[in-house]
Amino acid sequence: LDAGASYVNDVTALRGDPDLAGLVAERGAGCCLMHMLGTPRTMQDDPRYDDVVSEVIDFLRARVATAVDKGVSDIWVDPGIGFGKTLEHNLALLRNVRRIRDETGRPVVIGASRKRFIRAIDERAGDASKDRLGGSVAAALLAAQNGAAMVRVHDVAETVQALKVWRALQP
């Protein structure tokens, strides 16, 4: 923020630093609160949910309430594709972006670019990022179609082109 940023992307959803929400509010910045099961070190150890969509929504709603209580007003949410999720969890969340938006009352950010779930769907999408371009663009298009306000991507030009064509094809 001191360097001029006006937005904070927090993968801990304000749980990692107890002073961050106050700082964001004091500076009049916005923030994106992301769901993550566990920590980066443990998140993929055996992620389990009874209902991943409902549980992620409940978590995000609680974190939004905390941010609002601390004075933050510009809040977006991110269901955390790939952060403590299996392939099935990621797909369920991507299919339910509109529900996440509607039930949290906040714009949704989706970051599915180059994620491992793409390789789980298509084994030809190896470890190299270039091997996941098609899957990344497809996920971005689905996220946009399902109501995402923003997609976070690595391959910006390709994704922008795909989104422009997709929008032009809309009735």
Side-chain angles (χ1 to χ4, degrees):
L1 295 173
D2 287 342
S6 60
Y7 219 84
V8 173
N9 181 41
D10 187 11
V11 299
T12 72
L14 303 176
R15 296 176 298 162
D17 179 347
D19 298 325
L20 184 57
L23 178 65
V24 168
E26 175 186 306
R27 300 287 183 91
C31 68
C32 181
L33 306 175
M34 190 188 83
H35 176 273
M36 175 175 42
L37 185 65
T39 67
R41 186 170 306 200
T42 65
M43 66 186 179
Q44 292 305 121
D45 285 350
D46 187 22
R48 293 177 187 238
Y49 302 87
D50 290 325
D51 177 345
V52 68
V53 177
S54 294
E55 290 176 46
V56 167
I57 289 169
D58 289 346
F59 170 87
L60 291 171
R61 288 172 67 177
R63 300 315 302 156
V64 166
T66 296
V68 169
D69 286 347
K70 299 282 186 177
V72 180
S73 58
D74 183 6
I75 306 165
W76 292 38
V77 296
D78 180 343
I81 302 299
F83 285 78
K85 319 286 189 309
T86 65
L87 169 63
E88 293 76 21
H89 299 144
N90 290 318
L91 296 177
L93 291 165
L94 285 167
R95 289 180 187 120
N96 284 279
V97 172
R98 191 171 318 281
R99 179 177 165 204
I100 296 166
R101 180 197 66 197
D102 292 349
E103 292 189 27
T104 63
R106 300 294 169 163
V108 177
V109 176
I110 295 293
S113 180
R114 300 183 183 176
K115 295 284 174 86
R116 287 186 196 133
F117 81 91
I118 296 167
R119 184 178 61 205
I121 295 169
D122 179 3
E123 67 281 350
R124 293 173 299 153
D127 289 327
S129 59
K130 66 178 177 52
D131 296 336
R132 298 182 189 176
L133 176 60
S136 295
V137 171
L141 290 174
L142 177 71
Q145 178 179 334
N146 287 343
M150 180 187 302
V151 290
R152 200 170 30 246
V153 301
H154 295 90
D155 303 291
V156 175
E158 294 86 350
T159 306
V160 167
Q161 181 183 65
L163 286 165
K164 284 180 177 179
V165 171
W166 170 75
R167 282 194 184 112
L169 292 169
Q170 300 304 303

